[in-house]
Amino acid sequence: FKAHLDNRRVCAYFHALGIDVSQGESLFHLLDNDDSHMVSLNEFLAGCMRLRGHAKSLDVNLLLHETRRLSRRIETLAQSKAQTDV
């Protein structure tokens, strides 16, 4: 994914959609909805449509992604604690 972000045509595509590619790794994580470490065509297209617009859209989506990730981790910790309390 990072290698593709060095391609001028790929960058032009993202730019035309109004997507900031300067945070390539974060962009990849936003597009990888199922945490498979791969971006399917459907994830790519849906993610690009979701992220297009101003750079602030990317920032908001990064915050949402991190919030979901942290929420899952907290839930896992709470379940682990509940099991040890039994």
Side-chain angles (χ1 to χ4, degrees):
F1 186 79
K2 288 180 184 181
H4 291 293
L5 293 180
D6 292 333
N7 182 314
R8 287 179 33 202
R9 293 179 77 186
V10 172
C11 287
Y13 174 75
F14 281 117
H15 182 71
L17 290 174
I19 298 173
D20 179 15
V21 295
S22 65
Q23 298 173 317
E25 189 170 337
S26 297
L27 176 60
F28 175 81
H29 291 296
L30 287 175
L31 295 175
D32 181 22
N33 280 336
D34 60 1
D35 293 326
S36 65
H37 303 289
M38 297 180 70
V39 177
S40 69
L41 180 60
N42 287 338
E43 286 176 318
F44 180 79
L45 294 174
C48 286
M49 296 309 291
R50 185 178 73 244
L51 295 174
R52 66 184 179 154
H54 300 289
K56 291 182 181 182
S57 176
L58 178 60
D59 295 333
V60 169
N61 278 277
L62 281 170
L63 289 172
L64 288 170
H65 174 74
E66 284 301 310
T67 302
R68 285 187 202 112
R69 188 177 68 80
L70 288 171
S71 181
R72 286 191 301 263
R73 291 178 88 182
I74 290 170
E75 186 176 320
T76 301
L77 286 171
Q79 288 173 354
S80 295
K81 178 160 177 19
Q83 289 176 354
T84 59
D85 288 345
V86 173

